[in-house]
Amino acid sequence: MWVIQVPKDQIYRIPPPENAHRFEQLSRKKTNRSNCRCCFCSFLATIFILIVLAGISLAILYLIYRPEAPKYSIEGFTVSGINLNSTSPISPNFNVTVRSRNGNGKIGVYYEKESSVDVYYNDVDLCNGVMPVFYQPAKNVTVVRLALSGSKIQLTSGMRKEMRNEVSKKTLPFKLKIKAPVKIKVGSVKTWTMIVNVECDVTVDKLTAPSRIVSRKCSHDVDLW
């Protein structure tokens, strides 16, 4: 009898013929999975690099141009069409003058379509309208006159009583809300659409024209996306 000893590191495991096909399939799947992982990792790395580059570009632009949002104020505010001595629905009209100041030295603002302007009294929407479509260049002050109207607004008896009391004191408070889609122009580049939200608290002395503004205060914020 002959006994042959073979070192363990020279022993090769070969699948039996009935499992050879299955072994080949499994080997291919492992190779495909490895390739998919490499592609996915490359894709994630590319996205990460693009995000980093975009962030660096925005930071550089900010440091160069120092952008700031336009400043808004109310220059005129007159009311008509509100009869407090009748219980019938009212159809009020408001003529509002809005002043927009763009203090940026190298940035223009495009005011786009689909804006909205509303005037409220105690959370009741009295009238609505839209901002005009226009371009405001850098270092510019633009005055916009808005004609707003409402129809068949029903005031409660409590609201009428409250408004009569405020008329006697010559302090009628209203809230103006503006929602304006805008695009920013930096050099020859125009950005995506952003939303400027403006809220102004305005108090006038009476419900007939011409009325005097007793107090006014505006605030705003910008929705970047």
Side-chain angles (χ1 to χ4, degrees):
M1 175 182 292
W2 295 86
V3 178
I4 299 175
Q5 293 183 349
V6 180
K8 290 183 178 180
D9 58 352
Q10 294 183 15
I11 297 175
Y12 299 93
R13 297 176 181 264
I14 301 175
E18 62 272 15
N19 291 335
H21 181 65
R22 177 174 174 79
F23 177 77
E24 184 179 353
Q25 286 183 333
L26 292 174
S27 299
R28 289 178 179 175
K29 287 183 178 179
K30 290 180 180 179
T31 303
N32 291 336
R33 289 177 183 174
S34 177
N35 291 336
C36 288
R37 290 196 188 102
C38 291
C39 291
F40 184 68
C41 291
S42 299
F43 174 75
L44 289 181
T46 302
I47 294 298
F48 177 76
I49 292 172
L50 290 175
I51 292 174
V52 171
L53 292 176
I56 293 173
S57 300
L58 289 175
I60 293 173
L61 288 175
Y62 178 81
L63 292 175
I64 293 175
Y65 293 102
R66 298 286 182 178
E68 62 179 37
K71 301 294 189 300
Y72 301 92
S73 61
I74 303 299
E75 301 298 309
F77 196 95
T78 60
V79 192
S80 62
I82 298 180
N83 184 2
L84 299 178
N85 297 318
S86 172
T87 58
S88 300
I90 62 173
S91 296
N93 296 292
F94 289 76
N95 290 312
V96 181
T97 303
V98 180
R99 182 177 183 268
S100 173
R101 182 178 70 83
N102 179 13
N104 294 287
K106 298 179 181 180
I107 297 176
V109 182
Y110 287 93
Y111 287 82
E112 304 285 316
K113 296 179 180 179
E114 299 183 1
S115 64
S116 64
V117 184
D118 296 86
V119 174
Y120 294 84
Y121 176 82
N122 281 0
D123 296 326
V124 176
D125 194 346
L126 297 179
C127 63
N128 53 74
V130 296
M131 289 277 289
V133 176
F134 67 97
Y135 172 69
Q136 185 175 25
K139 291 293 184 181
N140 172 266
V141 174
T142 299
V143 176
V144 178
R145 292 175 176 82
L146 306 173
L148 313 175
S149 61
S151 178
K152 298 181 180 179
I153 309 297
Q154 185 64 61
L155 300 178
T156 65
S157 58
M159 290 179 63
R160 292 178 184 276
K161 181 179 179 181
E162 184 178 0
M163 292 184 81
R164 283 195 292 268
N165 182 48
E166 289 165 342
V167 167
S168 65
K169 296 179 181 180
K170 296 185 178 182
T171 54
L172 285 150
F174 296 96
K175 184 181 290 291
L176 175 74
K177 292 186 178 183
I178 300 174
K179 185 176 182 180
V182 301
K183 289 183 179 180
I184 306 301
K185 182 184 178 184
V186 182
S188 60
V189 178
K190 189 187 295 187
T191 67
W192 62 94
T193 300
M194 295 172 275
I195 304 297
V196 173
N197 301 293
V198 182
E199 283 196 13
C200 298
D201 294 312
V202 185
T203 301
V204 295
D205 61 344
K206 57 184 178 179
L207 293 175
T208 55
S211 59
R212 180 176 62 87
I213 297 177
V214 178
S215 65
R216 72 199 100 182
K217 182 180 180 181
C218 292
S219 62
H220 66 273
D221 61 67
V222 180
D223 298 332
L224 296 178
W225 313 105

